[in-house]
Every structure is written in C-alpha cells, then in structure tokens.
Amino acid sequence: MSQETRTDTTAATGTRLADWQAGVVGGLAGGAAMGVLITMLMPPVIEMAIPALYGLQGGLAGWIVHMAHSAILGVVFAAIAATTGIGNGIGRSTIAGLVYGVVLWAVLAALVMPIWLQTLGFAGAPPLPNFALPGSLPAHAVYGVLLGAIVPLLGN
C-alpha cells in the first residue's frame, strides 16, 4: 500500500485592499457622487469657493481639490472604522458613514470653510456658520453613505 500525504495551503488572492486603500476608493466614489450633486445644486461652490481655499480658480481646480479632500477624508474614515470596529459589516459601516458625512458637513463645510475663506478675503465667502441645508447636507450624506458602504466591501 502506498501512503499519500496531502498538504493543503491557502494563499491570499490579493482581492482585498488594505484599509487605507479601501478608504481612498470609497472616498473617491463618494466624492464623485457628492461633486455631481454640488455641481448641479450649488455650482459656485465647486467653481469658486472650493478652489479659492488654495488660491485657485475654476471648476477643474474645484473638482481636483474636492476629490483630493474626498480621498483623504476617506482614509480617515477607514482608520476610524478599523480601530473602532464600526467597519465590521456593511450595514453598520454605512450608518457610520452617514454620520461621518453629516459631521463633516457640520464641522468642515459649516465652520472651517467659511472661516478659511473669510481669512483669505474671498469675496464669495459664506456666512459663519454656513448650515446650507438644501444642497450641502444631502451631498455630504451621500458621500458618507457611499464611503461607509464601500470601505467594508473592499477592505480587510
């Protein structure tokens, strides 16, 4: 009789992204959807206010800055999700993403952006605080929901 020894090994397929990479992809996807909403509902924001944060002008510059912010904030969300466990499961992460989007709106859009633009002397600076509900809040919510849903789908 012959004896066979079988050894099974499992190798990683590489289909999952590192958490920070999932944050970049989720941030870019959410940022694209948010950018479309802002472009449709509040064109001066993407064309003038966002690029003015860095002394730039024009819609292309606004989109580039917006997408860079979206990717960076996506990495921040992924780090928070990984360290707190809120990224475990699409449902929990999507809700956490929605909350994250609303917090970003309340802190960055409503407070930081107006202060920054006023400090730069930008003529179109929004009032402080700038709780623009019709366009900005829903756009930030969409960003957060997409980010929150994508991070656990792609990440570790």
Side-chain angles (χ1 to χ4, degrees), residues 78-135:
I80 293 168
T83 57
T84 63
I86 60 171
N88 298 338
I90 295 171
R92 283 178 50 167
S93 185
T94 301
I95 292 168
L98 173 63
V99 171
Y100 184 69
V102 171
V103 168
L104 291 178
W105 169 75
V107 175
L108 297 180
L111 300 174
V112 173
M113 189 172 178
I115 291 170
W116 191 341
L117 290 172
Q118 288 173 14
T119 301
L120 294 174
F122 177 63
L128 179 66
N130 181 30
F131 292 113
L133 294 174

mmCIF file of all heavy atoms in Angstrom, residues 78-135:
data_model
loop_
_atom_site.group_PDB
_atom_site.id
_atom_site.type_symbol
_atom_site.label_atom_id
_atom_site.label_comp_id
_atom_site.label_asym_id
_atom_site.label_seq_id
_atom_site.Cartn_x
_atom_site.Cartn_y
_atom_site.Cartn_z
ATOM 1 N N ALA A 78 -11.693 55.236 7.080
ATOM 2 C CA ALA A 78 -11.254 53.841 7.118
ATOM 3 C C ALA A 78 -10.435 53.560 8.378
ATOM 4 O O ALA A 78 -10.576 52.488 8.980
ATOM 5 C CB ALA A 78 -10.453 53.504 5.864
ATOM 6 N N ALA A 79 -9.603 54.500 8.780
ATOM 7 C CA ALA A 79 -8.810 54.326 10.002
ATOM 8 C C ALA A 79 -9.706 54.290 11.234
ATOM 9 O O ALA A 79 -9.524 53.448 12.123
ATOM 10 C CB ALA A 79 -7.778 55.451 10.121
ATOM 11 N N ILE A 80 -10.678 55.183 11.283
ATOM 12 C CA ILE A 80 -11.627 55.192 12.405
ATOM 13 C C ILE A 80 -12.413 53.882 12.426
ATOM 14 O O ILE A 80 -12.583 53.259 13.477
ATOM 15 C CB ILE A 80 -12.578 56.402 12.318
ATOM 16 C CG1 ILE A 80 -11.812 57.707 12.526
ATOM 17 C CG2 ILE A 80 -13.723 56.276 13.324
ATOM 18 C CD1 ILE A 80 -12.604 58.966 12.170
ATOM 19 N N ALA A 81 -12.874 53.454 11.263
ATOM 20 C CA ALA A 81 -13.660 52.220 11.179
ATOM 21 C C ALA A 81 -12.845 51.010 11.621
ATOM 22 O O ALA A 81 -13.349 50.136 12.329
ATOM 23 C CB ALA A 81 -14.174 52.028 9.753
ATOM 24 N N ALA A 82 -11.583 50.962 11.215
ATOM 25 C CA ALA A 82 -10.735 49.821 11.567
ATOM 26 C C ALA A 82 -10.411 49.782 13.055
ATOM 27 O O ALA A 82 -10.374 48.705 13.656
ATOM 28 C CB ALA A 82 -9.449 49.861 10.746
ATOM 29 N N THR A 83 -10.185 50.937 13.647
ATOM 30 C CA THR A 83 -9.783 50.958 15.060
ATOM 31 C C THR A 83 -10.962 50.835 16.016
ATOM 32 O O THR A 83 -10.783 50.385 17.143
ATOM 33 C CB THR A 83 -8.982 52.228 15.398
ATOM 34 O OG1 THR A 83 -9.764 53.374 15.081
ATOM 35 C CG2 THR A 83 -7.682 52.269 14.629
ATOM 36 N N THR A 84 -12.142 51.220 15.579
ATOM 37 C CA THR A 84 -13.307 51.155 16.466
ATOM 38 C C THR A 84 -14.187 49.944 16.225
ATOM 39 O O THR A 84 -15.051 49.638 17.037
ATOM 40 C CB THR A 84 -14.195 52.408 16.310
ATOM 41 O OG1 THR A 84 -14.697 52.450 14.971
ATOM 42 C CG2 THR A 84 -13.422 53.677 16.636
ATOM 43 N N GLY A 85 -14.011 49.286 15.090
ATOM 44 C CA GLY A 85 -14.856 48.144 14.761
ATOM 45 C C GLY A 85 -16.149 48.506 14.060
ATOM 46 O O GLY A 85 -16.929 47.629 13.724
ATOM 47 N N ILE A 86 -16.388 49.789 13.807
ATOM 48 C CA ILE A 86 -17.642 50.161 13.133
ATOM 49 C C ILE A 86 -17.638 49.744 11.669
ATOM 50 O O ILE A 86 -18.669 49.725 11.028
ATOM 51 C CB ILE A 86 -17.949 51.678 13.234
ATOM 52 C CG1 ILE A 86 -16.844 52.511 12.586
ATOM 53 C CG2 ILE A 86 -18.223 52.086 14.654
ATOM 54 C CD1 ILE A 86 -17.160 53.973 12.460
ATOM 55 N N GLY A 87 -16.471 49.380 11.162
ATOM 56 C CA GLY A 87 -16.376 48.940 9.783
ATOM 57 C C GLY A 87 -16.706 47.469 9.598
ATOM 58 O O GLY A 87 -16.643 46.946 8.499
ATOM 59 N N ASN A 88 -17.053 46.789 10.692
ATOM 60 C CA ASN A 88 -17.392 45.369 10.612
ATOM 61 C C ASN A 88 -18.842 45.222 10.169
ATOM 62 O O ASN A 88 -19.750 45.349 10.968
ATOM 63 C CB ASN A 88 -17.180 44.677 11.963
ATOM 64 C CG ASN A 88 -15.742 44.735 12.418
ATOM 65 O OD1 ASN A 88 -14.850 44.909 11.601
ATOM 66 N ND2 ASN A 88 -15.515 44.601 13.708
ATOM 67 N N GLY A 89 -19.036 44.963 8.910
ATOM 68 C CA GLY A 89 -20.383 44.804 8.383
ATOM 69 C C GLY A 89 -20.807 46.016 7.599
ATOM 70 O O GLY A 89 -20.592 47.162 8.009
ATOM 71 N N ILE A 90 -21.424 45.762 6.464
ATOM 72 C CA ILE A 90 -21.813 46.845 5.569
ATOM 73 C C ILE A 90 -22.875 47.742 6.194
ATOM 74 O O ILE A 90 -22.809 48.961 6.075
ATOM 75 C CB ILE A 90 -22.290 46.281 4.218
ATOM 76 C CG1 ILE A 90 -21.117 45.605 3.520
ATOM 77 C CG2 ILE A 90 -22.882 47.369 3.332
ATOM 78 C CD1 ILE A 90 -21.487 44.821 2.298
ATOM 79 N N GLY A 91 -23.852 47.155 6.880
ATOM 80 C CA GLY A 91 -24.914 47.958 7.480
ATOM 81 C C GLY A 91 -24.387 48.948 8.502
ATOM 82 O O GLY A 91 -24.691 50.143 8.439
ATOM 83 N N ARG A 92 -23.601 48.436 9.437
ATOM 84 C CA ARG A 92 -23.033 49.314 10.479
ATOM 85 C C ARG A 92 -22.135 50.374 9.871
ATOM 86 O O ARG A 92 -22.161 51.539 10.269
ATOM 87 C CB ARG A 92 -22.240 48.502 11.494
ATOM 88 C CG ARG A 92 -23.092 47.760 12.471
ATOM 89 C CD ARG A 92 -22.276 46.931 13.412
ATOM 90 N NE ARG A 92 -21.205 47.710 14.014
ATOM 91 C CZ ARG A 92 -20.498 47.319 15.046
ATOM 92 N NH1 ARG A 92 -20.752 46.164 15.616
ATOM 93 N NH2 ARG A 92 -19.535 48.062 15.534
ATOM 94 N N SER A 93 -21.318 49.966 8.926
ATOM 95 C CA SER A 93 -20.389 50.899 8.316
ATOM 96 C C SER A 93 -21.114 51.962 7.493
ATOM 97 O O SER A 93 -20.708 53.128 7.481
ATOM 98 C CB SER A 93 -19.393 50.136 7.435
ATOM 99 O OG SER A 93 -18.420 51.019 6.928
ATOM 100 N N THR A 94 -22.191 51.577 6.829
ATOM 101 C CA THR A 94 -22.957 52.547 6.038
ATOM 102 C C THR A 94 -23.598 53.594 6.942
ATOM 103 O O THR A 94 -23.572 54.795 6.641
ATOM 104 C CB THR A 94 -24.021 51.830 5.184
ATOM 105 O OG1 THR A 94 -23.357 50.904 4.317
ATOM 106 C CG2 THR A 94 -24.837 52.813 4.356
ATOM 107 N N ILE A 95 -24.144 53.153 8.056
ATOM 108 C CA ILE A 95 -24.726 54.099 9.021
ATOM 109 C C ILE A 95 -23.636 54.989 9.601
ATOM 110 O O ILE A 95 -23.805 56.208 9.715
ATOM 111 C CB ILE A 95 -25.498 53.357 10.130
ATOM 112 C CG1 ILE A 95 -26.748 52.710 9.528
ATOM 113 C CG2 ILE A 95 -25.872 54.298 11.267
ATOM 114 C CD1 ILE A 95 -27.436 51.720 10.438
ATOM 115 N N ALA A 96 -22.490 54.390 9.931
ATOM 116 C CA ALA A 96 -21.365 55.181 10.445
ATOM 117 C C ALA A 96 -20.904 56.178 9.388
ATOM 118 O O ALA A 96 -20.568 57.326 9.706
ATOM 119 C CB ALA A 96 -20.215 54.264 10.855
ATOM 120 N N GLY A 97 -20.915 55.769 8.124
ATOM 121 C CA GLY A 97 -20.537 56.672 7.045
ATOM 122 C C GLY A 97 -21.498 57.840 6.920
ATOM 123 O O GLY A 97 -21.078 58.982 6.696
ATOM 124 N N LEU A 98 -22.776 57.565 7.070
ATOM 125 C CA LEU A 98 -23.774 58.639 7.041
ATOM 126 C C LEU A 98 -23.515 59.634 8.163
ATOM 127 O O LEU A 98 -23.498 60.852 7.934
ATOM 128 C CB LEU A 98 -25.187 58.060 7.159
ATOM 129 C CG LEU A 98 -26.322 59.074 7.322
ATOM 130 C CD1 LEU A 98 -26.424 59.982 6.111
ATOM 131 C CD2 LEU A 98 -27.634 58.351 7.566
ATOM 132 N N VAL A 99 -23.278 59.145 9.360
ATOM 133 C CA VAL A 99 -22.970 60.019 10.492
ATOM 134 C C VAL A 99 -21.691 60.813 10.213
ATOM 135 O O VAL A 99 -21.626 62.018 10.463
ATOM 136 C CB VAL A 99 -22.857 59.207 11.800
ATOM 137 C CG1 VAL A 99 -22.319 60.058 12.939
ATOM 138 C CG2 VAL A 99 -24.208 58.594 12.158
ATOM 139 N N TYR A 100 -20.702 60.141 9.678
ATOM 140 C CA TYR A 100 -19.432 60.785 9.332
ATOM 141 C C TYR A 100 -19.657 61.920 8.326
ATOM 142 O O TYR A 100 -19.131 63.025 8.488
ATOM 143 C CB TYR A 100 -18.480 59.732 8.764
ATOM 144 C CG TYR A 100 -17.082 60.192 8.441
ATOM 145 C CD1 TYR A 100 -16.177 60.537 9.439
ATOM 146 C CD2 TYR A 100 -16.634 60.247 7.119
ATOM 147 C CE1 TYR A 100 -14.881 60.928 9.144
ATOM 148 C CE2 TYR A 100 -15.342 60.631 6.808
ATOM 149 C CZ TYR A 100 -14.473 60.971 7.824
ATOM 150 O OH TYR A 100 -13.185 61.362 7.525
ATOM 151 N N GLY A 101 -20.459 61.671 7.306
ATOM 152 C CA GLY A 101 -20.762 62.692 6.316
ATOM 153 C C GLY A 101 -21.447 63.907 6.931
ATOM 154 O O GLY A 101 -21.123 65.052 6.591
ATOM 155 N N VAL A 102 -22.375 63.661 7.832
ATOM 156 C CA VAL A 102 -23.082 64.765 8.499
ATOM 157 C C VAL A 102 -22.117 65.547 9.398
ATOM 158 O O VAL A 102 -22.165 66.785 9.445
ATOM 159 C CB VAL A 102 -24.301 64.243 9.292
ATOM 160 C CG1 VAL A 102 -24.910 65.334 10.162
ATOM 161 C CG2 VAL A 102 -25.344 63.672 8.331
ATOM 162 N N VAL A 103 -21.226 64.836 10.089
ATOM 163 C CA VAL A 103 -20.235 65.516 10.936
ATOM 164 C C VAL A 103 -19.293 66.356 10.075
ATOM 165 O O VAL A 103 -18.975 67.501 10.425
ATOM 166 C CB VAL A 103 -19.453 64.498 11.802
ATOM 167 C CG1 VAL A 103 -18.247 65.143 12.466
ATOM 168 C CG2 VAL A 103 -20.371 63.881 12.848
ATOM 169 N N LEU A 104 -18.867 65.809 8.934
ATOM 170 C CA LEU A 104 -18.019 66.595 8.029
ATOM 171 C C LEU A 104 -18.733 67.857 7.577
ATOM 172 O O LEU A 104 -18.119 68.935 7.504
ATOM 173 C CB LEU A 104 -17.618 65.761 6.812
ATOM 174 C CG LEU A 104 -16.667 64.598 7.054
ATOM 175 C CD1 LEU A 104 -16.405 63.858 5.751
ATOM 176 C CD2 LEU A 104 -15.369 65.050 7.702
ATOM 177 N N TRP A 105 -20.010 67.732 7.259
ATOM 178 C CA TRP A 105 -20.794 68.900 6.855
ATOM 179 C C TRP A 105 -20.827 69.936 7.973
ATOM 180 O O TRP A 105 -20.577 71.121 7.740
ATOM 181 C CB TRP A 105 -22.221 68.461 6.482
ATOM 182 C CG TRP A 105 -23.171 69.591 6.308
ATOM 183 C CD1 TRP A 105 -23.245 70.451 5.251
ATOM 184 C CD2 TRP A 105 -24.185 70.010 7.223
ATOM 185 N NE1 TRP A 105 -24.248 71.380 5.448
ATOM 186 C CE2 TRP A 105 -24.844 71.121 6.666
ATOM 187 C CE3 TRP A 105 -24.607 69.544 8.463
ATOM 188 C CZ2 TRP A 105 -25.887 71.772 7.302
ATOM 189 C CZ3 TRP A 105 -25.645 70.188 9.100
ATOM 190 C CH2 TRP A 105 -26.280 71.298 8.518
ATOM 191 N N ALA A 106 -21.139 69.487 9.200
ATOM 192 C CA ALA A 106 -21.294 70.416 10.328
ATOM 193 C C ALA A 106 -19.977 71.088 10.705
ATOM 194 O O ALA A 106 -19.969 72.271 11.061
ATOM 195 C CB ALA A 106 -21.873 69.678 11.536
ATOM 196 N N VAL A 107 -18.877 70.353 10.604
ATOM 197 C CA VAL A 107 -17.592 70.910 11.037
ATOM 198 C C VAL A 107 -16.850 71.587 9.878
ATOM 199 O O VAL A 107 -16.490 72.763 9.970
ATOM 200 C CB VAL A 107 -16.706 69.823 11.679
ATOM 201 C CG1 VAL A 107 -15.326 70.362 12.027
ATOM 202 C CG2 VAL A 107 -17.381 69.251 12.920
ATOM 203 N N LEU A 108 -16.648 70.854 8.802
ATOM 204 C CA LEU A 108 -15.814 71.401 7.725
ATOM 205 C C LEU A 108 -16.559 72.380 6.824
ATOM 206 O O LEU A 108 -16.045 73.464 6.534
ATOM 207 C CB LEU A 108 -15.221 70.253 6.891
ATOM 208 C CG LEU A 108 -14.287 69.317 7.657
ATOM 209 C CD1 LEU A 108 -13.755 68.228 6.745
ATOM 210 C CD2 LEU A 108 -13.148 70.084 8.313
ATOM 211 N N ALA A 109 -17.749 72.010 6.367
ATOM 212 C CA ALA A 109 -18.481 72.890 5.447
ATOM 213 C C ALA A 109 -19.106 74.079 6.162
ATOM 214 O O ALA A 109 -19.123 75.187 5.632
ATOM 215 C CB ALA A 109 -19.553 72.094 4.704
ATOM 216 N N ALA A 110 -19.634 73.849 7.347
ATOM 217 C CA ALA A 110 -20.366 74.910 8.039
ATOM 218 C C ALA A 110 -19.465 75.835 8.858
ATOM 219 O O ALA A 110 -19.794 77.005 9.051
ATOM 220 C CB ALA A 110 -21.435 74.309 8.949
ATOM 221 N N LEU A 111 -18.321 75.321 9.316
ATOM 222 C CA LEU A 111 -17.461 76.134 10.174
ATOM 223 C C LEU A 111 -16.091 76.425 9.559
ATOM 224 O O LEU A 111 -15.713 77.576 9.397
ATOM 225 C CB LEU A 111 -17.286 75.450 11.537
ATOM 226 C CG LEU A 111 -18.569 75.215 12.346
ATOM 227 C CD1 LEU A 111 -18.283 74.415 13.597
ATOM 228 C CD2 LEU A 111 -19.232 76.541 12.686
ATOM 229 N N VAL A 112 -15.351 75.385 9.228
ATOM 230 C CA VAL A 112 -13.968 75.581 8.766
ATOM 231 C C VAL A 112 -13.918 76.324 7.432
ATOM 232 O O VAL A 112 -13.149 77.285 7.280
ATOM 233 C CB VAL A 112 -13.228 74.225 8.683
ATOM 234 C CG1 VAL A 112 -11.853 74.396 8.045
ATOM 235 C CG2 VAL A 112 -13.107 73.597 10.066
ATOM 236 N N MET A 113 -14.718 75.892 6.472
ATOM 237 C CA MET A 113 -14.663 76.514 5.146
ATOM 238 C C MET A 113 -14.988 78.013 5.186
ATOM 239 O O MET A 113 -14.238 78.818 4.608
ATOM 240 C CB MET A 113 -15.571 75.776 4.170
ATOM 241 C CG MET A 113 -15.414 76.220 2.742
ATOM 242 S SD MET A 113 -16.370 75.112 1.676
ATOM 243 C CE MET A 113 -16.073 75.863 0.114
ATOM 244 N N PRO A 114 -16.072 78.429 5.860
ATOM 245 C CA PRO A 114 -16.331 79.875 5.919
ATOM 246 C C PRO A 114 -15.208 80.660 6.597
ATOM 247 O O PRO A 114 -14.822 81.734 6.117
ATOM 248 C CB PRO A 114 -17.628 79.987 6.727
ATOM 249 C CG PRO A 114 -18.285 78.664 6.581
ATOM 250 C CD PRO A 114 -17.172 77.666 6.450
ATOM 251 N N ILE A 115 -14.668 80.126 7.690
ATOM 252 C CA ILE A 115 -13.580 80.820 8.386
ATOM 253 C C ILE A 115 -12.360 80.931 7.478
ATOM 254 O O ILE A 115 -11.742 81.993 7.370
ATOM 255 C CB ILE A 115 -13.228 80.094 9.707
ATOM 256 C CG1 ILE A 115 -14.372 80.240 10.707
ATOM 257 C CG2 ILE A 115 -11.919 80.619 10.285
ATOM 258 C CD1 ILE A 115 -14.240 79.358 11.943
ATOM 259 N N TRP A 116 -12.008 79.827 6.823
ATOM 260 C CA TRP A 116 -10.851 79.798 5.935
ATOM 261 C C TRP A 116 -11.016 80.802 4.789
ATOM 262 O O TRP A 116 -10.115 81.589 4.498
ATOM 263 C CB TRP A 116 -10.694 78.389 5.405
ATOM 264 C CG TRP A 116 -9.421 78.052 4.675
ATOM 265 C CD1 TRP A 116 -8.515 78.908 4.103
ATOM 266 C CD2 TRP A 116 -8.923 76.738 4.435
ATOM 267 N NE1 TRP A 116 -7.503 78.202 3.498
ATOM 268 C CE2 TRP A 116 -7.720 76.858 3.692
ATOM 269 C CE3 TRP A 116 -9.381 75.467 4.737
ATOM 270 C CZ2 TRP A 116 -6.986 75.768 3.267
ATOM 271 C CZ3 TRP A 116 -8.633 74.389 4.321
ATOM 272 C CH2 TRP A 116 -7.460 74.533 3.605
ATOM 273 N N LEU A 117 -12.181 80.779 4.141
ATOM 274 C CA LEU A 117 -12.410 81.677 3.010
ATOM 275 C C LEU A 117 -12.468 83.136 3.445
ATOM 276 O O LEU A 117 -11.971 84.024 2.738
ATOM 277 C CB LEU A 117 -13.683 81.279 2.261
ATOM 278 C CG LEU A 117 -13.586 79.970 1.473
ATOM 279 C CD1 LEU A 117 -14.950 79.568 0.927
ATOM 280 C CD2 LEU A 117 -12.551 80.072 0.361
ATOM 281 N N GLN A 118 -13.063 83.416 4.609
ATOM 282 C CA GLN A 118 -13.100 84.793 5.115
ATOM 283 C C GLN A 118 -11.687 85.273 5.444
ATOM 284 O O GLN A 118 -11.333 86.426 5.181
ATOM 285 C CB GLN A 118 -14.015 84.883 6.335
ATOM 286 C CG GLN A 118 -15.490 84.763 5.986
ATOM 287 C CD GLN A 118 -16.393 84.679 7.212
ATOM 288 O OE1 GLN A 118 -15.979 84.962 8.330
ATOM 289 N NE2 GLN A 118 -17.643 84.275 6.989
ATOM 290 N N THR A 119 -10.876 84.383 6.013
ATOM 291 C CA THR A 119 -9.496 84.729 6.347
ATOM 292 C C THR A 119 -8.696 85.066 5.097
ATOM 293 O O THR A 119 -7.854 85.966 5.114
ATOM 294 C CB THR A 119 -8.823 83.561 7.108
ATOM 295 O OG1 THR A 119 -9.576 83.301 8.293
ATOM 296 C CG2 THR A 119 -7.385 83.881 7.477
ATOM 297 N N LEU A 120 -8.977 84.345 4.003
ATOM 298 C CA LEU A 120 -8.293 84.606 2.733
ATOM 299 C C LEU A 120 -8.813 85.852 2.027
ATOM 300 O O LEU A 120 -8.227 86.302 1.044
ATOM 301 C CB LEU A 120 -8.444 83.403 1.794
ATOM 302 C CG LEU A 120 -7.764 82.116 2.225
ATOM 303 C CD1 LEU A 120 -8.124 80.987 1.272
ATOM 304 C CD2 LEU A 120 -6.253 82.306 2.286
ATOM 305 N N GLY A 121 -9.937 86.398 2.510
ATOM 306 C CA GLY A 121 -10.535 87.569 1.877
ATOM 307 C C GLY A 121 -11.331 87.234 0.629
ATOM 308 O O GLY A 121 -11.556 88.106 -0.210
ATOM 309 N N PHE A 122 -11.775 85.996 0.501
ATOM 310 C CA PHE A 122 -12.568 85.579 -0.650
ATOM 311 C C PHE A 122 -13.923 86.282 -0.612
ATOM 312 O O PHE A 122 -14.667 86.174 0.361
ATOM 313 C CB PHE A 122 -12.744 84.054 -0.634
ATOM 314 C CG PHE A 122 -13.600 83.508 -1.738
ATOM 315 C CD1 PHE A 122 -13.212 83.644 -3.067
ATOM 316 C CD2 PHE A 122 -14.788 82.858 -1.455
ATOM 317 C CE1 PHE A 122 -13.999 83.133 -4.089
ATOM 318 C CE2 PHE A 122 -15.581 82.341 -2.467
ATOM 319 C CZ PHE A 122 -15.185 82.483 -3.800
ATOM 320 N N ALA A 123 -14.242 87.020 -1.676
ATOM 321 C CA ALA A 123 -15.464 87.834 -1.712
ATOM 322 C C ALA A 123 -16.731 87.002 -1.596
ATOM 323 O O ALA A 123 -17.740 87.474 -1.080
ATOM 324 C CB ALA A 123 -15.495 88.653 -2.994
ATOM 325 N N GLY A 124 -16.708 85.772 -2.058
ATOM 326 C CA GLY A 124 -17.896 84.920 -2.014
ATOM 327 C C GLY A 124 -17.952 84.022 -0.803
ATOM 328 O O GLY A 124 -18.665 83.006 -0.813
ATOM 329 N N ALA A 125 -17.207 84.351 0.248
ATOM 330 C CA ALA A 125 -17.182 83.509 1.446
ATOM 331 C C ALA A 125 -18.583 83.393 2.043
ATOM 332 O O ALA A 125 -19.297 84.390 2.164
ATOM 333 C CB ALA A 125 -16.222 84.082 2.480
ATOM 334 N N PRO A 126 -18.980 82.177 2.397
ATOM 335 C CA PRO A 126 -20.301 82.004 3.003
ATOM 336 C C PRO A 126 -20.321 82.562 4.421
ATOM 337 O O PRO A 126 -19.276 82.791 5.026
ATOM 338 C CB PRO A 126 -20.493 80.486 3.000
ATOM 339 C CG PRO A 126 -19.123 79.917 2.943
ATOM 340 C CD PRO A 126 -18.265 80.917 2.236
ATOM 341 N N PRO A 127 -21.523 82.780 4.954
ATOM 342 C CA PRO A 127 -21.628 83.271 6.336
ATOM 343 C C PRO A 127 -21.164 82.198 7.317
ATOM 344 O O PRO A 127 -21.069 81.027 6.975
ATOM 345 C CB PRO A 127 -23.126 83.538 6.492
ATOM 346 C CG PRO A 127 -23.773 82.612 5.525
ATOM 347 C CD PRO A 127 -22.828 82.512 4.365
ATOM 348 N N LEU A 128 -20.877 82.637 8.516
ATOM 349 C CA LEU A 128 -20.460 81.725 9.578
ATOM 350 C C LEU A 128 -21.529 81.702 10.655
ATOM 351 O O LEU A 128 -21.900 82.761 11.140
ATOM 352 C CB LEU A 128 -19.129 82.193 10.168
ATOM 353 C CG LEU A 128 -18.562 81.356 11.298
ATOM 354 C CD1 LEU A 128 -18.179 79.979 10.784
ATOM 355 C CD2 LEU A 128 -17.352 82.043 11.906
ATOM 356 N N PRO A 129 -22.070 80.568 11.020
ATOM 357 C CA PRO A 129 -21.897 79.259 10.399
ATOM 358 C C PRO A 129 -22.715 79.170 9.112
ATOM 359 O O PRO A 129 -23.672 79.912 8.915
ATOM 360 C CB PRO A 129 -22.445 78.292 11.440
ATOM 361 C CG PRO A 129 -23.499 79.068 12.155
ATOM 362 C CD PRO A 129 -23.005 80.502 12.155
ATOM 363 N N ASN A 130 -22.317 78.225 8.267
ATOM 364 C CA ASN A 130 -22.978 78.068 6.972
ATOM 365 C C ASN A 130 -23.697 76.718 6.926
ATOM 366 O O ASN A 130 -23.198 75.763 6.349
ATOM 367 C CB ASN A 130 -21.960 78.162 5.837
ATOM 368 C CG ASN A 130 -22.613 78.037 4.481
ATOM 369 O OD1 ASN A 130 -23.762 78.419 4.306
ATOM 370 N ND2 ASN A 130 -21.887 77.500 3.537
ATOM 371 N N PHE A 131 -24.850 76.664 7.540
ATOM 372 C CA PHE A 131 -25.635 75.430 7.552
ATOM 373 C C PHE A 131 -26.565 75.416 6.343
ATOM 374 O O PHE A 131 -27.778 75.520 6.466
ATOM 375 C CB PHE A 131 -26.411 75.293 8.868
ATOM 376 C CG PHE A 131 -25.514 75.073 10.050
ATOM 377 C CD1 PHE A 131 -25.396 76.025 11.046
ATOM 378 C CD2 PHE A 131 -24.772 73.912 10.153
ATOM 379 C CE1 PHE A 131 -24.561 75.821 12.134
ATOM 380 C CE2 PHE A 131 -23.926 73.698 11.242
ATOM 381 C CZ PHE A 131 -23.825 74.656 12.230
ATOM 382 N N ALA A 132 -25.964 75.296 5.142
ATOM 383 C CA ALA A 132 -26.717 75.271 3.886
ATOM 384 C C ALA A 132 -27.367 73.898 3.719
ATOM 385 O O ALA A 132 -26.735 72.941 3.317
ATOM 386 C CB ALA A 132 -25.792 75.579 2.717
ATOM 387 N N LEU A 133 -28.629 73.812 4.067
ATOM 388 C CA LEU A 133 -29.322 72.525 4.035
ATOM 389 C C LEU A 133 -29.686 72.027 2.636
ATOM 390 O O LEU A 133 -29.562 70.844 2.369
ATOM 391 C CB LEU A 133 -30.587 72.603 4.903
ATOM 392 C CG LEU A 133 -30.343 72.797 6.390
ATOM 393 C CD1 LEU A 133 -31.654 73.014 7.126
ATOM 394 C CD2 LEU A 133 -29.612 71.612 6.975
ATOM 395 N N PRO A 134 -30.178 72.859 1.754
ATOM 396 C CA PRO A 134 -30.713 72.295 0.511
ATOM 397 C C PRO A 134 -29.714 71.477 -0.289
ATOM 398 O O PRO A 134 -30.061 70.447 -0.825
ATOM 399 C CB PRO A 134 -31.162 73.518 -0.286
ATOM 400 C CG PRO A 134 -31.293 74.613 0.704
ATOM 401 C CD PRO A 134 -30.337 74.298 1.815
ATOM 402 N N GLY A 135 -28.478 71.895 -0.401
ATOM 403 C CA GLY A 135 -27.541 71.169 -1.244
ATOM 404 C C GLY A 135 -26.409 70.513 -0.506
ATOM 405 O O GLY A 135 -26.061 69.367 -0.748
#
